[in-house]
Amino acid sequence: MTSEHSSLEHRILEHIARAEYVPVKPRVLAKQLKLDPQRHAELKKTVKRMVRNGQLAYGAEHLVGPPAASETKRTEVIGIFRRAAGGFGFVRPAGTRRAAGKTEDIYIPLKSTGDASSGDTVLVRLRQQRRVGGETRVAGDIVRILERETHQFVGTYSEEAGVCQVMVDGNVFSQPILVGDPGVKSAQPQDKVVLEVIRFPSHFQPGEGVITEVLGARGQPGVDTQLILREFNLPEEYPEEAVEVARQQADRFDESISSTRRDFTGTTIITIDPADARDFDDAISLSRLDNGHWVLGVHIADVSHFVPPRTALDDEAKQRATSVYLPGRVIPMLPEIISNHLASLQPERVRYTKTALIEFTADGARVGTEFFSGAIRSCRRFTYEEVDEFLADRAPWKKKISADVFRLLGDMHELAMILRRRRWEAGAIELVLREVRLDLDADGQVRGARPVENTESHQIIEEFMLSANEAVAEHLADRELPFLRRVHESPDPRKLKDLTEFVRGLGIAAESLESRFEIQRVLEAVAGRPEAYAVNYAVLRSMQKAIYSPADEGHFALASRHYCHFTSPIRRYPDLTVHRLLEALAANQPPLRDVDQLTLLGDHCSRREQRAEAAERELTKIKLLNYLSQRVGEELNAVVTGVHNFGLFAQGIDLPAEGFLHVSGLTDDYYDYDPVAHTLRGRRAGNQFRLGDVLRVAIARVDVDRRVLDFRLTAKVAAARGSASPRKGGSSPHGTAARGPQGKPRPAAETRPTERKKGKASRPGKPAAPGPARPPGASGRKKKKRRL
């Protein structure tokens, strides 16, 4: 061991031995030791070595501590702080989950929050339980800020009585942050600005900061997108070193097919994508054997060929971990020279692939899989709409496409429906959560919205991508190799018991919903009924969130023992790691077996995915609030998405804006909160509001900067399928199917399997109300944010 390594070990041991040390993640430890960023990777390796040697130990959430004390004292807890609008807050302890009807969050009174900001990792000292909003909660005091979520915020600049200040957007801080010399950046009142906070505010002192960038006048076109990019620290430009690697790959590529690749250029292969898609990362072939078996070819863009490991390009892709799909804009994981050109499976061009040839029996049972580095030439690019037209009336297409392509499309539909039926029979959970896509004008402002439907063309691609992902995962698991899985853990049994009681409370006969098949039966039974909204939302809330991890936990919603993401390496880094592992196996190279490193990478990719989804959600919210700010008083139908003791959250059905109805506005009765039943129950017989109810609401108040929308109840809609665009007057009830970002699917816990593709810009908006949704965590096509 070098003296340099020995010195770092000594510093780590000395630091952890301090009486005030509490376990933190390696990246936080590196900051505490004030290591240069270039040495952070060295610290992670040193920590892993010391854990193997018994000098350190990993605790919950990969926190680093002494061997016999990797957990903090029972009276102290580490967690993530969230501040409420009233100044008080809550801390979610690291490694814990919320059980239905109960909460593990720790209540932090205003005077005990210190200068903590939402998202900060904090150390909390527990104290006695307290009654908060009608619930008994554990209370605590924040002892120390272990890690700041960020020092950078966005907000609106103003001047008042000679004082220059910035009101940070959202409910992050209740009071403005004082700023020094705004003239340096030429800030004008009502400008949206980027703020670096130097001193965080607390209940006894104001915050202070410095304006680092002026984004533009409040309401100016494009400013909303820029502020979200800064708020979530989303990268725009690529480092020149990364772009140079991409250019070098472009210079070397000549469409030649080496002997190490299987030549599929003579095979009939097609792609199916959204009409506005620019990168095509999967293509399909399908044939029948003499014994009646099917051979499905899933050909995925060979991104690993163009992104060499341990290069500046690979480092940047890993750092981004995912493409980000915002309303009106895409921030790709890879430079467009690769994502939209070299790796994209464009028609009539030789393109490199990682190919899975999967053999199925006539009734869809998988009996074998082979993997190849391949080369294809797609003979036709279809849009989803074209395939739907073909399926609706095939005769006119005989003159439009070749006989081989005509046969291929028909066979693809037949096999996909067989696979879909088998997946259902295996216990896959599919939710019906209606989704809406925003229509934007040239300035990026909302001009309307339309439902996104999950048609059979999308289902074809979903089923094939799910099959490929599952086949790859089983192939790697059979060889006992660690790899990044897409993990969707089983729901907490307590949540399923509460879900059972909730469903029975709706008058629906049900056995225990701890059985996935009983969940299926109930979902099928309520399809098309008023209770459909309530049941689908309640099932969704009972699910865990899908993540990336090497842990062998399976995928609950897909009823899959082994599952990973293989089919979208252009937009997801975990898929790229799987491609490289398959390549190492094919070359008989010993693959890496560093589970600790995979765990850290999975955590990073999961956090990047969550950041992308949050950014899309916030920008969608801002655009909708700007639209609705001109329509105060208008009415729309909304579905109840959250029930609390203080009121209801409801989301528009035709326009996916979520607003709040405070319990004080429900003036016709006194209401009691039932957390298990997700219900506010009035004291008059039959008077209640529950999860999934459809309400007629008026837009009462819009605060774009605080990102707040308040509704006023005008009526309860009898049919759960009611919907209406914001307007004066009535509406006609109807329902529609749901879909994932940019047209890609989502899972049950991820709302549905993400096997669909995205187009130029991601679908703005989150699931609204019922319409077919997929199991959480599945994914394979271009999509955006909600991933399985």
Side-chain angles (χ1 to χ4, degrees):
M1 180 184 299
T2 66
S3 59
E4 187 176 353
H5 286 159
S6 177
S7 172
L8 182 55
E9 282 193 7
H10 178 75
R11 289 183 62 189
I12 293 171
L13 290 173
E14 190 176 63
H15 182 73
I16 287 179
R18 296 164 59 193
E20 64 271 23
Y21 176 78
V22 293
V24 295
K25 290 191 175 183
R27 70 174 185 275
V28 181
L29 181 59
K31 292 179 181 178
Q32 291 177 348
L33 292 174
K34 299 181 179 178
L35 293 180
D36 187 276
Q38 283 74 30
R39 297 193 65 191
H40 285 195
E42 177 191 350
L43 177 127
K44 290 180 181 179
K45 292 179 181 178
T46 302
V47 167
K48 285 191 296 181
R49 182 174 62 251
M50 295 174 72
V51 169
R52 288 195 298 268
N53 295 339
Q55 297 168 281
L56 301 175
Y58 287 128
E61 299 290 297
H62 223 66
L63 304 178
V64 179
S70 56
E71 300 292 332
T72 55
K73 302 174 188 176
R74 297 174 67 89
T75 58
E76 294 182 346
V77 171
I78 294 171
I80 305 298
F81 175 71
R82 297 290 173 192
R83 188 180 292 275
F88 57 89
F90 300 92
V91 169
R92 171 68 56 82
T96 63
R97 302 172 185 148
R98 185 188 301 269
K102 300 180 182 179
T103 180
E104 294 171 341
D105 289 359
I106 300 163
Y107 170 67
I108 311 295
L110 172 60
K111 292 184 179 180
S112 300
T113 59
D115 64 351
S117 175
S118 288
D120 289 351
T121 301
V122 299
L123 175 67
V124 175
R125 180 170 295 120
L126 303 180
R127 50 188 171 117
Q128 75 283 359
Q129 292 186 336
R130 291 185 53 165
R131 292 287 293 176
V132 181
E135 297 181 74
T136 300
R137 292 180 179 269
V138 175
D141 305 307
I142 292 179
V143 177
R144 189 180 319 143
I145 311 296
L146 301 179
E147 183 182 15
R148 291 287 186 187
E149 169 72 4
T150 183
H151 284 76
Q152 179 173 288
F153 300 89
V154 296
T156 305
Y157 173 71
S158 65
E159 298 174 0
E160 187 173 327
V163 176
C164 302
Q165 57 191 17
V166 173
M167 191 69 223
V168 172
D169 284 2
N171 287 315
V172 180
F173 304 121
S174 58
Q175 298 297 323
I177 304 296
L178 304 180
V179 293
D181 183 7
V184 175
K185 296 293 181 180
S186 301
Q188 300 296 317
Q190 296 306 300
D191 276 351
K192 303 301 286 191
V193 300
V194 181
L195 175 74
E196 182 80 10
V197 173
I198 298 171
R199 185 179 72 192
F200 281 75
S202 67
H203 71 283
F204 57 85
Q205 68 177 7
E208 292 185 8
V210 176
I211 294 175
T212 59
E213 184 180 2
V214 176
L215 301 176
R218 184 173 177 271
Q220 181 180 325
V223 169
D224 54 359
T225 299
Q226 287 301 312
L227 71 86
I228 288 298
L229 294 179
R230 302 300 186 275
E231 178 176 334
F232 288 91
N233 197 25
L234 294 172
E236 293 185 85
E237 302 301 321
Y238 294 88
E240 182 57 35
E241 298 83 356
V243 175
E244 182 57 32
V245 175
R247 292 189 187 116
Q248 292 170 4
Q249 294 298 315
D251 290 341
R252 293 171 187 159
F253 182 59
D254 60 5
E255 298 192 12
S256 61
I257 303 174
S258 70
S259 60
T260 60
R261 290 188 177 274
R262 181 155 175 173
D263 188 348
F264 293 100
T265 56
T267 302
T268 301
I269 295 174
I270 63 172
T271 62
I272 305 176
D273 293 90
D276 60 354
R278 296 162 62 191
D279 56 323
F280 313 127
D281 52 9
D282 54 83
I284 300 296
S285 61
L286 183 62
S287 59
R288 303 281 296 256
L289 301 178
D290 292 340
N291 63 0
H293 284 198
W294 304 89
V295 178
L296 170 68
V298 179
H299 310 272
I300 305 301
D302 189 359
V303 174
S304 62
H305 179 83
F306 301 105
V307 183
R310 296 178 295 280
T311 61
L313 180 58
D314 182 46
D315 290 344
E316 182 65 14
K318 182 191 298 183
Q319 180 60 29
R320 295 183 179 218
T322 181
S323 294
V324 181
Y325 296 88
L326 302 173
R329 179 163 181 185
V330 176
I331 303 173
M333 181 180 79
L334 296 168
E336 292 191 355
I337 191 173
I338 290 178
S339 62
N340 294 352
H341 177 52
L342 298 179
S344 183
L345 306 183
Q346 300 165 340
E348 301 302 336
R349 303 290 297 271
V350 173
R351 286 295 182 259
Y352 294 164
T353 64
K354 285 288 186 284
T355 293
L357 293 183
I358 311 170
E359 183 177 348
F360 297 96
T361 62
D363 61 353
R366 178 157 46 86
V367 293
T369 309
E370 293 183 281
F371 299 98
F372 303 93
S373 289
I376 69 166
R377 182 186 285 112
S378 168
C379 59
R380 180 66 150 80
R381 180 223 165 171
F382 285 95
T383 66
Y384 285 123
E385 291 77 10
E386 287 176 321
V387 175
D388 285 328
E389 290 175 12
F390 169 88
L391 296 175
D393 184 5
R394 302 188 185 192
W397 285 87
K398 287 186 176 180
K399 296 180 180 179
K400 298 180 182 180
I401 54 180
S402 70
D404 286 342
V405 172
F406 186 91
R407 174 201 57 78
L408 174 59
L409 280 175
D411 286 351
M412 286 171 60
H413 178 255
E414 181 181 350
L415 176 59
M417 295 306 106
I418 291 172
L419 296 177
R420 191 171 181 82
R421 184 178 65 251
R422 287 185 69 94
R423 187 158 63 86
W424 175 260
E425 292 170 352
I429 306 296
E430 293 199 0
L431 300 182
V432 176
L433 295 170
R434 184 171 182 270
E435 198 152 353
V436 174
R437 181 179 183 130
L438 298 185
D439 290 325
L440 306 179
D441 63 20
D443 290 330
Q445 303 301 309
V446 175
R447 64 183 179 192
R450 52 196 162 87
V452 182
E453 298 186 37
N454 179 41
T455 62
E456 288 192 333
S457 63
H458 293 91
Q459 293 168 13
I460 290 170
I461 295 304
E462 288 168 20
E463 293 305 323
F464 293 165
M465 299 302 110
L466 291 171
S467 294
N469 287 339
E470 193 169 53
V472 170
E474 288 191 10
H475 178 74
L476 298 176
D478 288 345
R479 284 150 185 78
E480 299 183 345
L481 295 173
F483 61 99
L484 269 190
R485 300 168 182 261
R486 187 59 166 175
V487 173
H488 182 226
E489 294 185 56
S490 300
D492 188 317
R494 294 175 297 176
K495 286 190 174 184
L496 294 179
K497 288 178 181 176
D498 287 344
L499 176 64
T500 303
E501 293 305 311
F502 172 73
V503 168
R504 289 172 180 168
L506 297 177
I508 300 168
E511 300 297 326
S512 171
L513 294 182
E514 292 179 76
S515 163
R516 63 169 62 249
F517 296 100
E518 185 65 2
I519 294 176
Q520 278 188 335
R521 188 196 66 76
V522 168
L523 289 171
E524 192 170 23
V526 300
R529 291 170 51 183
E531 297 88 348
Y533 283 110
V535 173
N536 279 270
Y537 271 107
V539 172
L540 178 63
R541 290 168 68 94
S542 73
M543 297 284 182
Q544 306 280 7
K545 186 173 182 65
I547 61 170
Y548 294 108
S549 168
D552 184 3
E553 300 286 353
H555 197 296
F556 175 80
L558 294 176
S560 181
R561 179 72 185 81
H562 302 287
Y563 193 75
C564 70
H565 279 171
F566 159 75
T567 51
S568 292
I570 288 178
R571 63 184 175 90
R572 291 188 308 227
Y573 195 81
D575 302 53
L576 179 54
T577 68
V578 169
H579 280 221
R580 287 171 174 165
L581 189 52
L582 289 173
E583 192 166 330
L585 286 175
N588 293 317
Q589 297 172 351
L592 295 175
R593 293 178 176 270
D594 194 333
V595 176
D596 289 339
Q597 194 62 33
L598 269 180
T599 300
L600 291 173
L601 179 59
D603 180 61
H604 167 73
C605 292
S606 297
R607 284 187 284 109
R608 284 290 186 258
E609 175 186 50
Q610 291 157 16
R611 178 181 73 168
E613 292 179 351
E616 181 203 10
R617 190 164 53 244
E618 286 301 300
L619 183 53
T620 298
K621 180 190 293 185
I622 292 170
K623 289 184 178 296
L624 284 170
L625 289 174
N626 275 310
Y627 177 76
L628 295 176
S629 66
Q630 306 302 313
R631 291 163 175 79
V632 172
E634 296 186 8
E635 295 184 4
L636 66 154
N637 281 7
V639 61
V640 175
T641 56
V643 181
H644 302 273
N645 62 302
F646 48 84
L648 308 169
F649 287 95
Q651 180 172 283
I653 293 176
D654 277 354
L655 201 67
E658 187 170 68
F660 180 63
L661 295 95
H662 196 275
V663 69
S664 63
L666 307 177
T667 57
D668 62 332
D669 203 345
Y670 291 97
Y671 288 86
D672 297 313
Y673 173 53
D674 183 342
V676 174
H678 302 293
T679 299
L680 279 179
R681 189 169 287 112
R683 298 178 185 179
R684 298 174 184 171
N687 203 13
Q688 65 179 15
F689 295 93
R690 69 189 178 202
L691 186 71
D693 279 349
V694 179
L695 311 176
R696 185 70 176 168
V697 298
I699 300 164
R701 184 175 73 94
V702 179
D703 186 333
V704 178
D705 291 334
R706 302 297 276 176
R707 300 181 192 170
V708 170
L709 171 62
D710 287 338
F711 288 144
R712 175 174 50 82
L713 180 68
T714 62
K716 211 168 175 183
V717 178
R721 286 176 175 258
S723 70
S725 298
R727 68 174 188 265
K728 310 265 187 191
S731 67
S732 59
H734 69 273
T736 317
R739 251 179 62 185
Q742 295 269 46
K744 295 232 178 199
R746 300 181 190 182
E750 296 175 89
T751 317
R752 46 189 171 250
T754 52
E755 284 315 330
R756 283 199 204 145
K757 311 188 173 186
K758 295 194 153 246
K760 283 194 216 174
S762 82
R763 63 118 197 19
K766 56 181 182 180
R774 284 138 245 355
S779 181
R781 285 286 267 164
K782 292 177 173 11
K783 86 151 230 155
K784 166 216 147 136
K785 15 212 317 116
R786 246 178 165 118
R787 317 160 182 203
L788 283 195

